[in-house]
Amino acid sequence: MDYGAMVRTAQQVHQRCGKNTLAALVDMTVCGFRYQAGYMDYLVFEFYRLNSQQRATYITRGKNNAYVHKLNPRQYWHLLEDKVEFLQRFDGLHGRDWIDLRQTDEAGFRSFIQAHPKFVGKPVTGTCGHGIEFFEISPDSRIEGLYQMLCSGGQVLVEEQIVQHPMVNQIYPLSVNTLRLVTIRVGQEVHLVFSCMRIGNGKRVDNLNSGGMAVLLDLEKGQLCSPGADKDGKAYFQHPMTGTDLIGAPVPFCHEAKKLVEDAALRVPELGYIGWDVAITEKGPILVEANQFPGHDIYQFQVHLGPDHIGLAPRFEAAMGGL
């Protein structure tokens, strides 16, 4: 527990709604015991505006941890955590070429980047876009030492860059704006319990922890259906950098994306609760990565919920059934 950060969060609550800082700290502590809510849950989900019946319906940090503990045995996390294992297991679904520099010599690397002059270097493990670097070479580029630089920096997974669909590119072109589709699998039945698009905002990645936003996605209509929301509580009806209207923005291949993650979930029977990141290309949806410990902060921004301010725990728990 970072008590200093907790105090600063209580001060933010005071600035947002006028609630006394000490009273906010006490209420945070109560919510921690009663709803397994962290202090960031209290802020992001705006618990300071909710009553006890509403708060009980939220997927908090503690509840999300419990879902992971119940459905995703830790000894199988490596299947998704290791990006090379992920690419091998979901061959045919990730739609891009890649090499592992631990198994590829410099000549093989040179051949790869000649075929794919726009490429990405990644660590084999990691989240939130950390350690990812984008490269583009031309016939005149000097690439001496690049292989050694990537190897020494731990960026041993080299992939061709994903080119997203022009309709998605119009929303924000600097990052690959991925769909976050969350599945819960019970036996051979796969439930899609949450869908949104994550959109970058000033950076090359779309993660909320890097300043990005989340917008709810209507998979049946194939369009975005809410304002954007970021972790600071800001709502966006247009993207601040492109001016694109978010509500109603079309997203192609939504039905195909839903089928993609349902099929993918059945390829990993060891894990039952997965957050899938899906890119939309001109040829269709592809898997970017998958998360055995899906972040719960994206689920319940107030701007995305109805006037009753009910959280998503009932939906997730209904999908789990008797588990």
Side-chain angles (χ1 to χ4, degrees):
M1 173 71 74
D2 185 337
Y3 293 102
M6 185 175 179
V7 171
R8 290 191 293 273
T9 302
Q11 291 169 341
Q12 284 183 268
V13 170
H14 170 71
Q15 292 168 0
R16 285 190 183 184
C17 68
K19 189 181 185 76
N20 178 272
T21 300
L22 180 58
L25 281 169
V26 171
D27 198 25
M28 282 180 192
T29 304
V30 170
C31 288
F33 285 106
R34 185 173 295 174
Y35 309 110
Q36 299 84 54
Y39 55 82
M40 285 305 298
D41 292 341
Y42 189 91
L43 181 70
V44 172
F45 302 150
E46 301 182 21
F47 266 27
Y48 48 86
R49 303 186 190 277
L50 305 179
N51 60 39
S52 58
Q53 289 79 19
Q54 292 166 325
R55 290 172 171 180
T57 67
Y58 280 68
I59 300 172
T60 59
R61 178 178 295 276
K63 287 184 181 178
N64 194 58
N65 291 352
Y67 298 163
V68 171
H69 180 74
K70 180 182 292 187
L71 296 173
N72 294 347
R74 193 178 186 94
Q75 66 265 32
Y76 298 117
W77 285 13
H78 65 90
L79 298 175
L80 304 181
E81 210 167 30
D82 185 301
K83 291 180 173 62
V84 169
E85 286 195 61
F86 168 83
L87 290 166
Q88 291 170 337
R89 177 167 290 236
F90 297 103
D91 187 40
L93 302 183
H94 55 69
R96 59 194 183 276
D97 289 338
W98 61 278
I99 54 173
D100 181 351
L101 297 187
R102 298 170 300 180
Q103 308 296 327
T104 306
D105 61 16
E106 187 166 1
F109 170 69
R110 285 174 176 268
S111 176
F112 182 89
I113 64 176
Q114 285 171 359
H116 304 292
K118 293 184 179 181
F119 62 95
V120 184
K122 299 180 179 181
V124 171
T125 60
T127 60
C128 300
H130 296 150
I132 293 176
E133 193 167 356
F134 297 84
F135 298 88
E136 181 175 356
I137 64 167
S138 71
D140 299 324
S141 297
R142 295 177 60 87
I143 61 173
E144 290 81 5
L146 183 55
Y147 176 84
Q148 289 79 10
M149 184 191 78
L150 290 169
C151 290
S152 62
Q155 296 165 310
V156 295
L157 176 58
V158 175
E159 300 178 357
E160 66 170 308
Q161 280 192 34
I162 295 169
V163 179
Q164 66 189 352
H165 195 286
M167 293 172 69
V168 180
N169 213 48
Q170 283 186 342
I171 300 171
Y172 178 70
L174 298 184
S175 69
V176 176
N177 306 307
T178 55
L179 311 187
R180 169 56 63 90
L181 305 179
V182 181
T183 59
I184 291 175
R185 181 190 49 76
V186 180
Q188 293 300 301
E189 188 172 6
V190 179
H191 304 271
L192 184 61
V193 292
F194 180 75
S195 58
C196 77
M197 176 179 280
R198 301 182 308 170
I199 302 172
N201 187 14
K203 295 185 179 179
R204 294 291 303 270
V205 294
D206 62 356
N207 307 88
L208 268 70
N209 290 323
S210 298
M213 66 185 76
V215 186
L216 294 186
L217 174 65
D218 187 326
L219 287 168
E220 295 305 314
K221 293 183 178 179
Q223 63 185 31
L224 303 181
C225 61
S226 78
D230 66 18
K231 290 190 74 171
D232 292 329
K234 295 178 183 177
Y236 302 87
F237 288 84
Q238 294 85 29
H239 195 284
M241 296 189 68
T242 64
T244 302
D245 289 327
L246 296 177
I247 298 176
V251 179
F253 296 116
C254 278
H255 291 133
E256 292 84 352
K258 180 175 183 289
K259 180 68 163 54
L260 177 72
V261 299
E262 289 172 344
D263 291 346
L266 295 174
R267 284 201 189 186
V268 58
E270 300 89 346
L271 301 169
Y273 171 40
I274 299 175
W276 305 93
D277 294 337
V278 176
I280 304 298
T281 74
E282 286 194 277
K283 295 180 179 180
I286 61 172
L287 294 180
V288 177
E289 62 182 37
N291 304 272
Q292 79 287 344
F293 208 122
H296 69 291
D297 52 356
I298 202 170
Y299 295 153
Q300 298 147 142
F301 293 114
Q302 287 299 326
V303 70
H304 292 163
L305 299 177
D308 55 5
H309 303 290
I310 297 300
L312 299 190
R315 181 192 302 176
F316 279 51
E317 289 162 12
M320 292 179 200
L323 291 177

